[in-house]
Amino acid sequence: MISSIAELISDRIGTMPAGERRAAQTLIANYPLTGLKTVAEFSAAAGVSSPTILRFVARLGFQNYPEFQSALQDELAAQLQSPASRTLNPASPVGGGAVSPMLEATLQNMRETFRHLSDKQLADIATRLAERRGKTFLIGGRFTDPLARYMAAHLAIIQPDVYHLAGQESIWRDRLIDMGKRDVLVIFDIRRYQESLVRFAEKAHQRGVQIVLFTDQWLSPIARFARHVIAGRTAVPSAWDSSAALFVVAETLIGAVTRQLEAAGAKRIRDLESLR
Amino acid sequence: MISSIAELISDRIGTMPAGERRAAQTLIANYPLTGLKTVAEFSAAAGVSSPTILRFVARLGFQNYPEFQSALQDELAAQLQSPASRTLNPASPVGGGAVSPMLEATLQNMRETFRHLSDKQLADIATRLAERRGKTFLIGGRFTDPLARYMAAHLAIIQPDVYHLAGQESIWRDRLIDMGKRDVLVIFDIRRYQESLVRFAEKAHQRGVQIVLFTDQWLSPIARFARHVIAGRTAVPSAWDSSAALFVVAETLIGAVTRQLEAAGAKRIRDLESLR
DNA sequence: CAAAATACGTAACATACGATACAGCGCTCC
DNA sequence: GGAGCGCTGTATCGTATGTTACGTATTTTG
């Protein structure tokens, strides 16, 4: 049973054309606010044209845009008024310390992040990472590069041809020569988005590379070029943004890819197990 | 200080004429949804005419109706993103998918990890990291080194002399010469514990270096030499162990150190802010 | 109680919004 | 490699929306 529009979208996002999928991703990224704005603003936020937005809402089963907005508003009204919304964790365990809020916010971020992320989406991404015929490249920004390294460290064990792109921009820019449409590029990029990464992503996209983007809820501009976008919540009561939600998504994906390869009976996995 | 539009309204509702007051009451009644609808719908809901609605928003200080709506949307956006007010849909939809168990286990790991970790412990470690008189070194194992990098990337910004030890063992072994009792060494080590790290930790300990250890619940042998031990839960339904709990602890510490340095009015922090 | 000022609604207007037709483009499949 | 299909953006149109002017009603004040 599909109760919310968000679920409806996650359900059908797989069958949507590229433009409408970008609309869907943008809407999910900060749901449901983008859908309450005008078509023009929505389209600008998603980087597509107005008709694409209208086709998007039509595909969801709405007769017209106002009807779509009304549905979103009704949903929001129910959510805001539901008593459940006020009853979460009553008991921050005292402490008075500044720790609990941090943990609570982080846990909340993870729930939120996964709420906007359907099992199917994750499975699709895992499949792309597992069944890719070419190579896998991973790269991240100033603070997120460790996440790229973490993921690369795991994937490189269960798959051949997994490369983390490190060091100077000039170094990985030259690696573009090796990339083609059979390859996958995993990019981590949260605010403040790095110009160099955007440029790199664009060029990779032009070469037909499939891009999987890990970003925050405000979506890196790289989302324009990405085949798959994962928007993680990053807000915590701290001077820094939190990458913890993205970290967990990464771990989940690592697990899913491993499982798929195991299920496929990949020779490499068997060889690995015999080595241990 | 008036932060929300709702406060602004209740502040001025006393000075409003009857019609506008009805508009105000209607809006407050199911705030802020009525304000996101059209003027015609708003006026119908309040039982007044359109111009009355417009005069109402004008009295609140808005130039026109769209500006008023934008303000409401911004406020709603902030509210939806803040962890406090947000709820999650009842009980994860229990898809047969393999995702929910992974997330649930991870969340549980974090709660458990923090349950065994008092605020005081964390504060002590943060103090050691913030007030250390010497240098800070960070290093990790095969899968945890990215966590060391992540922490180093942040600490290096707010403190001088923060070094991540990378590359071959022979390289960081030589750095031992630089280490003394005023220095702090942060080590990440989970199963299977790496011999090289244990040796390194021992030698550092002999030189009087203060060791902060991030490990799993079974405790790396390094715990023998460590001044502070953080034991994170790592078990998840996956072929791999999860470092997510340790990651969150690391983020928490980063935040705590930052706060302490700010509170101490560290010159570097002020300089940083002036740079931004 | 009278007169003035303020508040409110009706009606007309202009803008900008959503909707649609159409053409160009890339992609897939034979 | 070519033909067909489907997706996407541009341009145009009708309309619903916010806005304003003005006349009437209501309250306030001397």
Side-chain angles (χ1 to χ4, degrees), chain A residues 176-190:
Chain A
L176 277 168
I177 302 174
D178 301 320
M179 303 187 190
K181 48 181 68 168
R182 316 182 130 209
D183 304 326
V184 176
L185 173 61
V186 180
I187 307 182
F188 291 79
D189 189 36
I190 65 174

PDB file of all heavy atoms in Angstrom, chain A residues 176-190:
ATOM      1  N   LEU A 176      40.902  10.640 -16.610  1.00  0.00           N
ATOM      2  CA  LEU A 176      39.696  10.685 -17.451  1.00  0.00           C
ATOM      3  C   LEU A 176      39.882   9.887 -18.723  1.00  0.00           C
ATOM      4  O   LEU A 176      38.933   9.316 -19.269  1.00  0.00           O
ATOM      5  CB  LEU A 176      39.360  12.141 -17.803  1.00  0.00           C
ATOM      6  CG  LEU A 176      38.579  12.941 -16.761  1.00  0.00           C
ATOM      7  CD1 LEU A 176      38.582  14.404 -17.109  1.00  0.00           C
ATOM      8  CD2 LEU A 176      37.158  12.421 -16.675  1.00  0.00           C
ATOM      9  N   ILE A 177      41.109   9.844 -19.201  1.00  0.00           N
ATOM     10  CA  ILE A 177      41.393   9.127 -20.445  1.00  0.00           C
ATOM     11  C   ILE A 177      40.973   7.668 -20.323  1.00  0.00           C
ATOM     12  O   ILE A 177      40.516   7.059 -21.284  1.00  0.00           O
ATOM     13  CB  ILE A 177      42.904   9.219 -20.764  1.00  0.00           C
ATOM     14  CG1 ILE A 177      43.299  10.690 -20.873  1.00  0.00           C
ATOM     15  CG2 ILE A 177      43.232   8.488 -22.045  1.00  0.00           C
ATOM     16  CD1 ILE A 177      44.777  10.899 -21.035  1.00  0.00           C
ATOM     17  N   ASP A 178      41.092   7.131 -19.127  1.00  0.00           N
ATOM     18  CA  ASP A 178      40.785   5.720 -18.921  1.00  0.00           C
ATOM     19  C   ASP A 178      39.289   5.460 -18.800  1.00  0.00           C
ATOM     20  O   ASP A 178      38.880   4.311 -18.722  1.00  0.00           O
ATOM     21  CB  ASP A 178      41.469   5.221 -17.644  1.00  0.00           C
ATOM     22  CG  ASP A 178      42.977   5.376 -17.701  1.00  0.00           C
ATOM     23  OD1 ASP A 178      43.557   5.126 -18.770  1.00  0.00           O
ATOM     24  OD2 ASP A 178      43.571   5.753 -16.683  1.00  0.00           O
ATOM     25  N   MET A 179      38.488   6.497 -18.720  1.00  0.00           N
ATOM     26  CA  MET A 179      37.087   6.291 -18.377  1.00  0.00           C
ATOM     27  C   MET A 179      36.190   6.276 -19.606  1.00  0.00           C
ATOM     28  O   MET A 179      36.369   7.066 -20.532  1.00  0.00           O
ATOM     29  CB  MET A 179      36.612   7.400 -17.430  1.00  0.00           C
ATOM     30  CG  MET A 179      37.433   7.494 -16.165  1.00  0.00           C
ATOM     31  SD  MET A 179      36.739   8.667 -15.000  1.00  0.00           S
ATOM     32  CE  MET A 179      38.075   8.746 -13.807  1.00  0.00           C
ATOM     33  N   GLY A 180      35.216   5.375 -19.571  1.00  0.00           N
ATOM     34  CA  GLY A 180      34.260   5.268 -20.669  1.00  0.00           C
ATOM     35  C   GLY A 180      32.894   4.894 -20.164  1.00  0.00           C
ATOM     36  O   GLY A 180      32.640   4.893 -18.952  1.00  0.00           O
ATOM     37  N   LYS A 181      31.990   4.573 -21.052  1.00  0.00           N
ATOM     38  CA  LYS A 181      30.597   4.369 -20.671  1.00  0.00           C
ATOM     39  C   LYS A 181      30.374   3.081 -19.900  1.00  0.00           C
ATOM     40  O   LYS A 181      29.310   2.859 -19.361  1.00  0.00           O
ATOM     41  CB  LYS A 181      29.686   4.433 -21.901  1.00  0.00           C
ATOM     42  CG  LYS A 181      30.143   3.598 -23.082  1.00  0.00           C
ATOM     43  CD  LYS A 181      29.163   3.778 -24.247  1.00  0.00           C
ATOM     44  CE  LYS A 181      29.191   5.172 -24.851  1.00  0.00           C
ATOM     45  NZ  LYS A 181      28.460   5.259 -26.119  1.00  0.00           N
ATOM     46  N   ARG A 182      31.372   2.224 -19.857  1.00  0.00           N
ATOM     47  CA  ARG A 182      31.184   1.003 -19.073  1.00  0.00           C
ATOM     48  C   ARG A 182      31.633   1.213 -17.626  1.00  0.00           C
ATOM     49  O   ARG A 182      31.502   0.316 -16.803  1.00  0.00           O
ATOM     50  CB  ARG A 182      31.993  -0.146 -19.674  1.00  0.00           C
ATOM     51  CG  ARG A 182      31.898  -0.222 -21.195  1.00  0.00           C
ATOM     52  CD  ARG A 182      32.682  -1.409 -21.714  1.00  0.00           C
ATOM     53  NE  ARG A 182      31.855  -2.178 -22.619  1.00  0.00           N
ATOM     54  CZ  ARG A 182      31.973  -3.475 -22.820  1.00  0.00           C
ATOM     55  NH1 ARG A 182      32.885  -4.162 -22.177  1.00  0.00           N
ATOM     56  NH2 ARG A 182      31.190  -4.095 -23.671  1.00  0.00           N
ATOM     57  N   ASP A 183      32.169   2.376 -17.338  1.00  0.00           N
ATOM     58  CA  ASP A 183      32.733   2.615 -16.014  1.00  0.00           C
ATOM     59  C   ASP A 183      31.769   3.365 -15.106  1.00  0.00           C
ATOM     60  O   ASP A 183      30.840   4.019 -15.575  1.00  0.00           O
ATOM     61  CB  ASP A 183      34.036   3.404 -16.135  1.00  0.00           C
ATOM     62  CG  ASP A 183      35.040   2.709 -17.043  1.00  0.00           C
ATOM     63  OD1 ASP A 183      35.055   1.458 -17.052  1.00  0.00           O
ATOM     64  OD2 ASP A 183      35.780   3.406 -17.746  1.00  0.00           O
ATOM     65  N   VAL A 184      32.027   3.260 -13.825  1.00  0.00           N
ATOM     66  CA  VAL A 184      31.206   3.942 -12.831  1.00  0.00           C
ATOM     67  C   VAL A 184      32.098   4.872 -12.015  1.00  0.00           C
ATOM     68  O   VAL A 184      33.211   4.506 -11.639  1.00  0.00           O
ATOM     69  CB  VAL A 184      30.524   2.933 -11.888  1.00  0.00           C
ATOM     70  CG1 VAL A 184      29.739   3.659 -10.799  1.00  0.00           C
ATOM     71  CG2 VAL A 184      29.604   2.010 -12.671  1.00  0.00           C
ATOM     72  N   LEU A 185      31.588   6.079 -11.793  1.00  0.00           N
ATOM     73  CA  LEU A 185      32.323   7.044 -10.973  1.00  0.00           C
ATOM     74  C   LEU A 185      31.480   7.395  -9.756  1.00  0.00           C
ATOM     75  O   LEU A 185      30.351   7.880  -9.894  1.00  0.00           O
ATOM     76  CB  LEU A 185      32.631   8.305 -11.791  1.00  0.00           C
ATOM     77  CG  LEU A 185      33.254   9.481 -11.043  1.00  0.00           C
ATOM     78  CD1 LEU A 185      34.604   9.099 -10.445  1.00  0.00           C
ATOM     79  CD2 LEU A 185      33.416  10.675 -11.979  1.00  0.00           C
ATOM     80  N   VAL A 186      32.014   7.128  -8.580  1.00  0.00           N
ATOM     81  CA  VAL A 186      31.312   7.449  -7.340  1.00  0.00           C
ATOM     82  C   VAL A 186      31.915   8.723  -6.772  1.00  0.00           C
ATOM     83  O   VAL A 186      33.119   8.782  -6.515  1.00  0.00           O
ATOM     84  CB  VAL A 186      31.432   6.313  -6.308  1.00  0.00           C
ATOM     85  CG1 VAL A 186      30.690   6.671  -5.033  1.00  0.00           C
ATOM     86  CG2 VAL A 186      30.905   5.008  -6.884  1.00  0.00           C
ATOM     87  N   ILE A 187      31.076   9.739  -6.605  1.00  0.00           N
ATOM     88  CA  ILE A 187      31.560  11.028  -6.127  1.00  0.00           C
ATOM     89  C   ILE A 187      30.890  11.393  -4.807  1.00  0.00           C
ATOM     90  O   ILE A 187      29.674  11.272  -4.671  1.00  0.00           O
ATOM     91  CB  ILE A 187      31.284  12.148  -7.146  1.00  0.00           C
ATOM     92  CG1 ILE A 187      31.836  11.781  -8.521  1.00  0.00           C
ATOM     93  CG2 ILE A 187      31.892  13.457  -6.681  1.00  0.00           C
ATOM     94  CD1 ILE A 187      31.647  12.865  -9.557  1.00  0.00           C
ATOM     95  N   PHE A 188      31.671  11.841  -3.867  1.00  0.00           N
ATOM     96  CA  PHE A 188      31.149  12.377  -2.609  1.00  0.00           C
ATOM     97  C   PHE A 188      31.349  13.885  -2.633  1.00  0.00           C
ATOM     98  O   PHE A 188      32.474  14.361  -2.775  1.00  0.00           O
ATOM     99  CB  PHE A 188      31.892  11.785  -1.409  1.00  0.00           C
ATOM    100  CG  PHE A 188      31.625  10.324  -1.187  1.00  0.00           C
ATOM    101  CD1 PHE A 188      32.263   9.364  -1.941  1.00  0.00           C
ATOM    102  CD2 PHE A 188      30.721   9.911  -0.221  1.00  0.00           C
ATOM    103  CE1 PHE A 188      32.013   8.010  -1.736  1.00  0.00           C
ATOM    104  CE2 PHE A 188      30.464   8.565  -0.016  1.00  0.00           C
ATOM    105  CZ  PHE A 188      31.110   7.612  -0.772  1.00  0.00           C
ATOM    106  N   ASP A 189      30.275  14.635  -2.483  1.00  0.00           N
ATOM    107  CA  ASP A 189      30.411  16.088  -2.540  1.00  0.00           C
ATOM    108  C   ASP A 189      29.313  16.765  -1.742  1.00  0.00           C
ATOM    109  O   ASP A 189      28.152  16.716  -2.130  1.00  0.00           O
ATOM    110  CB  ASP A 189      30.362  16.563  -4.004  1.00  0.00           C
ATOM    111  CG  ASP A 189      30.720  18.027  -4.132  1.00  0.00           C
ATOM    112  OD1 ASP A 189      31.585  18.506  -3.378  1.00  0.00           O
ATOM    113  OD2 ASP A 189      30.137  18.720  -4.984  1.00  0.00           O
ATOM    114  N   ILE A 190      29.680  17.361  -0.628  1.00  0.00           N
ATOM    115  CA  ILE A 190      28.716  18.106   0.163  1.00  0.00           C
ATOM    116  C   ILE A 190      29.167  19.559   0.215  1.00  0.00           C
ATOM    117  O   ILE A 190      30.251  19.903  -0.236  1.00  0.00           O
ATOM    118  CB  ILE A 190      28.594  17.530   1.590  1.00  0.00           C
ATOM    119  CG1 ILE A 190      29.906  17.702   2.353  1.00  0.00           C
ATOM    120  CG2 ILE A 190      28.209  16.066   1.546  1.00  0.00           C
ATOM    121  CD1 ILE A 190      29.811  17.292   3.809  1.00  0.00           C
TER     122      ILE A 190
END
